Amino acid sequence: MSTGDAKIDFPPENVRKYLEPGPIVLISSQWQDEHDIMTLGWHTIMEFSPSLVGCMISAINHSHQLIRASGECVINLPTADMIDQVVAIGNSSGTQVDKFRANNLTPRAASNVQAPLIDECVANFECRLYDDALVEEYNFFIFEVVKAHIRRQPEYPQTLHYTGAGIFNVSGATLLDKSADFRPGML
Amino acid sequence: MSTGDAKIDFPPENVRKYLEPGPIVLISSQWQDEHDIMTLGWHTIMEFSPSLVGCMISAINHSHQLIRASGECVINLPTADMIDQVVAIGNSSGTQVDKFRANNLTPRAASNVQAPLIDECVANFECRLYDDALVEEYNFFIFEVVKAHIRRQPEYPQTLHYTGAGIFNVSGATLLDKSADFRPGML
């Protein structure tokens, strides 16, 4: 795990580079003096600009309540070497443990939201709730990424992709560049 | 590419195994005598049972019209060896070419929908439109998987994960089994 490397700003309209591949992410949230972290694999890019991401956050998660109350969260991207922390976070409850402390993770102040960034993650996307039309029925939150931070290297981090039953695929070790076969407008 | 291998039925409530990792999929659709195929990376699992998948299908795609008119589609999972077909499908329009013929793909009759399965894909999920509440505003379709077909092997196919700019990650070559670290109820 690399900690404390300086991050640079990244254009929010380009976060598809990190999220469209479908990695497991860590959602951090804060409401008043409570914070939490949860694992999430049920998310999708919905628009470039505004930069919209849809997330299915079950109401059984403590984080659900903090995010509804605050209207904010941070989507953090863990790399494959953080798998033990990812699994531990997904198998514990924020009502019982401080997930930063229990998992040796470093909270860092965000720029535009109260929720803390997870410093160890390779990218952090600060989000504000953009549309809650489907929250009541499906627990589906549409967030706008209002600020994005990334570690410059690796350019294509190895990420975790969950298949259920405790089994993860690792992505990012093999890259295929097919840009020469794209029409210019499709790149 | 492996063609014509028999497929077996798979429980629709378990399709997260194939879709939660976030692969590029091929959406096939049919309305009256028109059919189409499109590539899609903007999708997410939303519920196990009913088996719900949310898909952001831009209105600029010919497929969008066929899916709205028919209320149906098939989500097909291509493996990494199909990358040239995936790229060609994403860079052509169904109003101008027959995407099955142009890409040497085999349509096969589905059980519960009019849209054809793509036989060469390792999995095929027949879908009916379940909720169109966000279609007008976001082009976001919530589908129910009503029938799932999978090729038995490989159990964890190598899939394509799009990062934009013509660059794909390949996932599935490295598997990490952390099931021993999960609480029973979380598996």
Side-chain angles (χ1 to χ4, degrees), chain B residues 37-82:
Chain B
I37 309 176
M38 66 173 285
T39 55
L40 184 79
W42 294 13
H43 59 80
T44 180
I45 296 284
M46 295 182 71
E47 184 57 272
F48 293 120
S49 181
S51 176
L52 301 184
V53 182
C55 296
M56 221 300 292
I57 298 176
S58 168
I60 65 169
N61 288 287
H62 182 51
S63 298
H64 178 105
Q65 316 310 332
L66 304 187
I67 293 166
R68 283 193 84 161
S70 65
E72 297 177 349
C73 72
V74 178
I75 301 174
N76 305 273
L77 181 62
T79 40
D81 58 326
M82 293 176 67

Short mmCIF file of all heavy atoms in Angstrom, two decimals, chain B residues 37-82:
data_model
loop_
_atom_site.label_atom_id
_atom_site.label_comp_id
_atom_site.label_asym_id
_atom_site.label_seq_id
_atom_site.Cartn_x
_atom_site.Cartn_y
_atom_site.Cartn_z
N ILE B 37 -27.35 -4.27 -32.39
CA ILE B 37 -26.46 -4.61 -31.27
C ILE B 37 -25.70 -3.34 -30.89
O ILE B 37 -25.28 -2.58 -31.77
CB ILE B 37 -25.40 -5.69 -31.65
CG1 ILE B 37 -26.07 -6.90 -32.31
CG2 ILE B 37 -24.62 -6.12 -30.42
CD1 ILE B 37 -25.05 -7.95 -32.80
N MET B 38 -25.52 -3.11 -29.61
CA MET B 38 -24.69 -1.98 -29.16
C MET B 38 -23.77 -2.45 -28.03
O MET B 38 -24.04 -3.45 -27.37
CB MET B 38 -25.54 -0.81 -28.69
CG MET B 38 -26.35 -1.06 -27.45
SD MET B 38 -27.17 0.45 -26.82
CE MET B 38 -25.77 1.32 -26.08
N THR B 39 -22.67 -1.72 -27.85
CA THR B 39 -21.79 -1.97 -26.71
C THR B 39 -22.25 -1.11 -25.54
O THR B 39 -22.79 -0.02 -25.72
CB THR B 39 -20.34 -1.57 -27.05
OG1 THR B 39 -20.33 -0.21 -27.48
CG2 THR B 39 -19.77 -2.44 -28.15
N LEU B 40 -22.04 -1.61 -24.34
CA LEU B 40 -22.47 -0.87 -23.15
C LEU B 40 -21.52 -1.13 -21.99
O LEU B 40 -21.21 -2.29 -21.67
CB LEU B 40 -23.89 -1.29 -22.75
CG LEU B 40 -24.48 -0.51 -21.58
CD1 LEU B 40 -24.98 0.86 -22.03
CD2 LEU B 40 -25.63 -1.27 -20.92
N GLY B 41 -21.06 -0.06 -21.37
CA GLY B 41 -20.26 -0.20 -20.15
C GLY B 41 -20.93 0.45 -18.95
O GLY B 41 -20.47 0.29 -17.83
N TRP B 42 -22.05 1.14 -19.20
CA TRP B 42 -22.71 1.90 -18.14
C TRP B 42 -23.92 1.12 -17.63
O TRP B 42 -25.06 1.41 -17.99
CB TRP B 42 -23.12 3.29 -18.67
CG TRP B 42 -21.96 4.17 -19.01
CD1 TRP B 42 -20.64 3.82 -19.13
CD2 TRP B 42 -22.00 5.58 -19.27
NE1 TRP B 42 -19.88 4.92 -19.45
CE2 TRP B 42 -20.67 6.01 -19.54
CE3 TRP B 42 -23.03 6.53 -19.30
CZ2 TRP B 42 -20.34 7.33 -19.85
CZ3 TRP B 42 -22.71 7.85 -19.59
CH2 TRP B 42 -21.39 8.25 -19.86
N HIS B 43 -23.63 0.15 -16.77
CA HIS B 43 -24.70 -0.69 -16.22
C HIS B 43 -24.36 -1.06 -14.79
O HIS B 43 -23.19 -1.04 -14.40
CB HIS B 43 -24.88 -1.95 -17.07
CG HIS B 43 -23.64 -2.79 -17.17
ND1 HIS B 43 -23.25 -3.67 -16.18
CD2 HIS B 43 -22.68 -2.88 -18.13
CE1 HIS B 43 -22.11 -4.26 -16.54
NE2 HIS B 43 -21.74 -3.79 -17.72
N THR B 44 -25.37 -1.42 -14.04
CA THR B 44 -25.15 -1.87 -12.65
C THR B 44 -26.25 -2.83 -12.22
O THR B 44 -27.40 -2.68 -12.62
CB THR B 44 -25.12 -0.70 -11.66
OG1 THR B 44 -24.90 -1.20 -10.32
CG2 THR B 44 -26.43 0.09 -11.63
N ILE B 45 -25.86 -3.82 -11.44
CA ILE B 45 -26.84 -4.64 -10.73
C ILE B 45 -27.59 -3.72 -9.75
O ILE B 45 -27.00 -2.85 -9.13
CB ILE B 45 -26.14 -5.77 -9.95
CG1 ILE B 45 -25.43 -6.72 -10.92
CG2 ILE B 45 -27.12 -6.51 -9.05
CD1 ILE B 45 -26.34 -7.67 -11.65
N MET B 46 -28.92 -3.96 -9.63
CA MET B 46 -29.71 -3.16 -8.68
C MET B 46 -30.45 -4.01 -7.65
O MET B 46 -30.88 -3.50 -6.61
CB MET B 46 -30.70 -2.27 -9.43
CG MET B 46 -29.99 -1.20 -10.28
SD MET B 46 -31.14 -0.10 -11.12
CE MET B 46 -31.79 0.86 -9.74
N GLU B 47 -30.66 -5.28 -7.96
CA GLU B 47 -31.39 -6.15 -7.02
C GLU B 47 -31.16 -7.59 -7.44
O GLU B 47 -30.96 -7.87 -8.62
CB GLU B 47 -32.89 -5.78 -7.04
CG GLU B 47 -33.76 -6.53 -6.06
CD GLU B 47 -33.29 -6.36 -4.61
OE1 GLU B 47 -32.44 -7.19 -4.18
OE2 GLU B 47 -33.75 -5.43 -3.92
N PHE B 48 -31.16 -8.49 -6.43
CA PHE B 48 -31.01 -9.93 -6.73
C PHE B 48 -32.32 -10.53 -7.24
O PHE B 48 -32.33 -11.23 -8.24
CB PHE B 48 -30.58 -10.69 -5.47
CG PHE B 48 -29.19 -10.34 -4.99
CD1 PHE B 48 -28.98 -9.81 -3.73
CD2 PHE B 48 -28.10 -10.57 -5.80
CE1 PHE B 48 -27.70 -9.50 -3.28
CE2 PHE B 48 -26.81 -10.26 -5.37
CZ PHE B 48 -26.62 -9.73 -4.11
N SER B 49 -33.41 -10.29 -6.49
CA SER B 49 -34.68 -10.94 -6.84
C SER B 49 -35.83 -9.99 -6.53
O SER B 49 -36.05 -9.69 -5.36
CB SER B 49 -34.83 -12.23 -6.04
OG SER B 49 -36.02 -12.87 -6.39
N PRO B 50 -36.54 -9.47 -7.52
CA PRO B 50 -36.34 -9.76 -8.94
C PRO B 50 -34.93 -9.35 -9.37
O PRO B 50 -34.33 -8.45 -8.76
CB PRO B 50 -37.41 -8.91 -9.64
CG PRO B 50 -37.70 -7.80 -8.68
CD PRO B 50 -37.55 -8.40 -7.32
N SER B 51 -34.44 -9.96 -10.40
CA SER B 51 -33.07 -9.73 -10.87
C SER B 51 -33.05 -8.46 -11.72
O SER B 51 -33.43 -8.49 -12.89
CB SER B 51 -32.61 -10.93 -11.70
OG SER B 51 -31.34 -10.70 -12.24
N LEU B 52 -32.62 -7.34 -11.10
CA LEU B 52 -32.71 -6.05 -11.78
C LEU B 52 -31.33 -5.53 -12.18
O LEU B 52 -30.38 -5.60 -11.40
CB LEU B 52 -33.39 -5.02 -10.87
CG LEU B 52 -34.80 -5.35 -10.41
CD1 LEU B 52 -35.37 -4.19 -9.59
CD2 LEU B 52 -35.73 -5.67 -11.58
N VAL B 53 -31.26 -5.00 -13.39
CA VAL B 53 -30.03 -4.40 -13.92
C VAL B 53 -30.40 -3.03 -14.49
O VAL B 53 -31.33 -2.92 -15.29
CB VAL B 53 -29.41 -5.26 -15.04
CG1 VAL B 53 -28.10 -4.64 -15.54
CG2 VAL B 53 -29.18 -6.69 -14.56
N GLY B 54 -29.67 -2.00 -14.05
CA GLY B 54 -29.87 -0.66 -14.60
C GLY B 54 -28.87 -0.39 -15.72
O GLY B 54 -27.69 -0.71 -15.56
N CYS B 55 -29.35 0.19 -16.83
CA CYS B 55 -28.49 0.44 -18.00
C CYS B 55 -28.74 1.84 -18.54
O CYS B 55 -29.87 2.21 -18.80
CB CYS B 55 -28.83 -0.55 -19.12
SG CYS B 55 -28.51 -2.26 -18.74
N MET B 56 -27.65 2.57 -18.71
CA MET B 56 -27.74 3.91 -19.30
C MET B 56 -27.51 3.76 -20.81
O MET B 56 -26.37 3.53 -21.23
CB MET B 56 -26.66 4.78 -18.68
CG MET B 56 -27.07 6.19 -18.35
SD MET B 56 -27.62 7.13 -19.78
CE MET B 56 -26.10 7.28 -20.67
N ILE B 57 -28.58 3.88 -21.58
CA ILE B 57 -28.51 3.66 -23.03
C ILE B 57 -28.85 4.96 -23.72
O ILE B 57 -30.02 5.36 -23.77
CB ILE B 57 -29.50 2.54 -23.44
CG1 ILE B 57 -29.11 1.23 -22.75
CG2 ILE B 57 -29.53 2.39 -24.97
CD1 ILE B 57 -30.06 0.08 -23.01
N SER B 58 -27.84 5.60 -24.24
CA SER B 58 -28.02 6.94 -24.82
C SER B 58 -29.05 6.92 -25.95
O SER B 58 -29.11 5.98 -26.75
CB SER B 58 -26.68 7.45 -25.34
OG SER B 58 -26.87 8.60 -26.13
N ALA B 59 -29.81 7.99 -26.03
CA ALA B 59 -30.84 8.10 -27.07
C ALA B 59 -30.25 8.24 -28.45
O ALA B 59 -30.96 8.10 -29.45
CB ALA B 59 -31.76 9.28 -26.75
N ILE B 60 -28.95 8.50 -28.55
CA ILE B 60 -28.35 8.59 -29.90
C ILE B 60 -28.13 7.20 -30.50
O ILE B 60 -27.86 7.08 -31.69
CB ILE B 60 -27.01 9.36 -29.91
CG1 ILE B 60 -25.94 8.63 -29.10
CG2 ILE B 60 -27.20 10.78 -29.39
CD1 ILE B 60 -24.54 9.21 -29.30
N ASN B 61 -28.28 6.15 -29.70
CA ASN B 61 -28.15 4.79 -30.24
C ASN B 61 -29.44 4.34 -30.89
O ASN B 61 -30.53 4.49 -30.32
CB ASN B 61 -27.80 3.81 -29.11
CG ASN B 61 -26.39 3.97 -28.62
OD1 ASN B 61 -25.44 3.60 -29.29
ND2 ASN B 61 -26.24 4.58 -27.44
N HIS B 62 -29.31 3.73 -32.05
CA HIS B 62 -30.47 3.13 -32.71
C HIS B 62 -31.15 2.14 -31.76
O HIS B 62 -32.39 2.05 -31.69
CB HIS B 62 -29.99 2.44 -33.99
CG HIS B 62 -31.08 1.83 -34.80
ND1 HIS B 62 -32.22 2.52 -35.17
CD2 HIS B 62 -31.23 0.58 -35.32
CE1 HIS B 62 -33.01 1.73 -35.88
NE2 HIS B 62 -32.44 0.55 -35.99
N SER B 63 -30.35 1.41 -31.00
CA SER B 63 -30.89 0.43 -30.06
C SER B 63 -31.87 1.05 -29.07
O SER B 63 -32.83 0.39 -28.65
CB SER B 63 -29.74 -0.21 -29.26
OG SER B 63 -28.86 -0.92 -30.10
N HIS B 64 -31.60 2.27 -28.67
CA HIS B 64 -32.49 2.94 -27.70
C HIS B 64 -33.94 2.90 -28.18
O HIS B 64 -34.85 2.57 -27.42
CB HIS B 64 -32.00 4.38 -27.50
CG HIS B 64 -32.84 5.20 -26.56
ND1 HIS B 64 -32.43 5.52 -25.28
CD2 HIS B 64 -34.05 5.79 -26.72
CE1 HIS B 64 -33.36 6.25 -24.69
NE2 HIS B 64 -34.36 6.43 -25.53
N GLN B 65 -34.12 3.21 -29.45
CA GLN B 65 -35.48 3.25 -29.99
C GLN B 65 -36.10 1.85 -30.01
O GLN B 65 -37.28 1.67 -29.68
CB GLN B 65 -35.47 3.83 -31.42
CG GLN B 65 -34.59 5.07 -31.62
CD GLN B 65 -34.80 6.18 -30.61
OE1 GLN B 65 -35.90 6.32 -30.07
NE2 GLN B 65 -33.76 6.95 -30.31
N LEU B 66 -35.31 0.86 -30.42
CA LEU B 66 -35.85 -0.51 -30.50
C LEU B 66 -36.23 -1.03 -29.11
O LEU B 66 -37.24 -1.72 -28.94
CB LEU B 66 -34.82 -1.46 -31.15
CG LEU B 66 -34.29 -1.08 -32.53
CD1 LEU B 66 -33.42 -2.21 -33.10
CD2 LEU B 66 -35.41 -0.73 -33.50
N ILE B 67 -35.42 -0.68 -28.13
CA ILE B 67 -35.67 -1.15 -26.76
C ILE B 67 -36.88 -0.44 -26.16
O ILE B 67 -37.72 -1.06 -25.50
CB ILE B 67 -34.41 -0.96 -25.89
CG1 ILE B 67 -33.31 -1.90 -26.38
CG2 ILE B 67 -34.72 -1.21 -24.42
CD1 ILE B 67 -31.93 -1.59 -25.83
N ARG B 68 -37.01 0.86 -26.43
CA ARG B 68 -38.19 1.57 -25.91
C ARG B 68 -39.46 1.03 -26.55
O ARG B 68 -40.48 0.87 -25.89
CB ARG B 68 -38.09 3.07 -26.20
CG ARG B 68 -37.14 3.76 -25.27
CD ARG B 68 -37.26 5.26 -25.34
NE ARG B 68 -38.34 5.76 -24.49
CZ ARG B 68 -38.43 7.03 -24.09
NH1 ARG B 68 -37.52 7.90 -24.45
NH2 ARG B 68 -39.44 7.41 -23.35
N ALA B 69 -39.38 0.75 -27.85
CA ALA B 69 -40.58 0.28 -28.55
C ALA B 69 -40.97 -1.13 -28.11
O ALA B 69 -42.15 -1.44 -27.94
CB ALA B 69 -40.36 0.34 -30.06
N SER B 70 -39.96 -1.99 -27.91
CA SER B 70 -40.24 -3.40 -27.61
C SER B 70 -40.33 -3.68 -26.12
O SER B 70 -40.93 -4.67 -25.70
CB SER B 70 -39.15 -4.29 -28.22
OG SER B 70 -37.89 -4.02 -27.59
N GLY B 71 -39.68 -2.84 -25.31
CA GLY B 71 -39.61 -3.10 -23.87
C GLY B 71 -38.78 -4.33 -23.54
O GLY B 71 -38.95 -4.94 -22.48
N GLU B 72 -37.86 -4.68 -24.43
CA GLU B 72 -37.06 -5.90 -24.25
C GLU B 72 -35.64 -5.71 -24.77
O GLU B 72 -35.39 -4.87 -25.63
CB GLU B 72 -37.67 -7.06 -25.04
CG GLU B 72 -39.05 -7.48 -24.65
CD GLU B 72 -39.60 -8.60 -25.54
OE1 GLU B 72 -38.99 -8.89 -26.60
OE2 GLU B 72 -40.63 -9.16 -25.17
N CYS B 73 -34.75 -6.55 -24.30
CA CYS B 73 -33.42 -6.66 -24.90
C CYS B 73 -32.74 -7.91 -24.36
O CYS B 73 -33.30 -8.60 -23.49
CB CYS B 73 -32.56 -5.42 -24.61
SG CYS B 73 -31.99 -5.30 -22.90
N VAL B 74 -31.56 -8.20 -24.87
CA VAL B 74 -30.71 -9.25 -24.29
C VAL B 74 -29.37 -8.61 -23.95
O VAL B 74 -28.80 -7.87 -24.77
CB VAL B 74 -30.51 -10.43 -25.27
CG1 VAL B 74 -29.59 -11.48 -24.65
CG2 VAL B 74 -31.85 -11.05 -25.64
N ILE B 75 -28.89 -8.87 -22.75
CA ILE B 75 -27.54 -8.47 -22.35
C ILE B 75 -26.63 -9.67 -22.59
O ILE B 75 -26.83 -10.74 -22.01
CB ILE B 75 -27.48 -8.06 -20.86
CG1 ILE B 75 -28.44 -6.89 -20.58
CG2 ILE B 75 -26.06 -7.70 -20.46
CD1 ILE B 75 -28.55 -6.52 -19.10
N ASN B 76 -25.66 -9.50 -23.51
CA ASN B 76 -24.75 -10.58 -23.89
C ASN B 76 -23.34 -10.25 -23.39
O ASN B 76 -22.89 -9.10 -23.50
CB ASN B 76 -24.70 -10.70 -25.42
CG ASN B 76 -26.07 -10.90 -26.04
OD1 ASN B 76 -26.56 -12.01 -26.16
ND2 ASN B 76 -26.71 -9.79 -26.44
N LEU B 77 -22.65 -11.25 -22.89
CA LEU B 77 -21.31 -11.02 -22.32
C LEU B 77 -20.22 -11.53 -23.26
O LEU B 77 -20.03 -12.75 -23.41
CB LEU B 77 -21.20 -11.73 -20.96
CG LEU B 77 -19.86 -11.56 -20.24
CD1 LEU B 77 -19.60 -10.10 -19.90
CD2 LEU B 77 -19.83 -12.40 -18.96
N PRO B 78 -19.49 -10.62 -23.90
CA PRO B 78 -18.39 -11.05 -24.77
C PRO B 78 -17.13 -11.29 -23.95
O PRO B 78 -16.89 -10.62 -22.94
CB PRO B 78 -18.19 -9.84 -25.69
CG PRO B 78 -18.58 -8.66 -24.85
CD PRO B 78 -19.64 -9.15 -23.90
N THR B 79 -16.32 -12.22 -24.39
CA THR B 79 -15.03 -12.47 -23.75
C THR B 79 -13.95 -11.62 -24.44
O THR B 79 -14.18 -11.04 -25.51
CB THR B 79 -14.69 -13.96 -23.79
OG1 THR B 79 -15.08 -14.48 -25.06
CG2 THR B 79 -15.43 -14.71 -22.71
N ALA B 80 -12.79 -11.56 -23.81
CA ALA B 80 -11.74 -10.66 -24.28
C ALA B 80 -11.30 -10.95 -25.71
O ALA B 80 -10.89 -10.04 -26.44
CB ALA B 80 -10.54 -10.70 -23.33
N ASP B 81 -11.42 -12.21 -26.14
CA ASP B 81 -11.00 -12.56 -27.50
C ASP B 81 -11.94 -11.97 -28.56
O ASP B 81 -11.63 -11.99 -29.74
CB ASP B 81 -10.90 -14.08 -27.65
CG ASP B 81 -12.21 -14.78 -27.34
OD1 ASP B 81 -12.94 -14.30 -26.46
OD2 ASP B 81 -12.53 -15.79 -27.99
N MET B 82 -13.08 -11.43 -28.13
CA MET B 82 -14.03 -10.83 -29.07
C MET B 82 -13.81 -9.32 -29.20
O MET B 82 -14.66 -8.59 -29.71
CB MET B 82 -15.47 -11.12 -28.62
CG MET B 82 -15.84 -12.60 -28.72
SD MET B 82 -17.51 -12.98 -28.08
CE MET B 82 -18.55 -12.12 -29.28
#
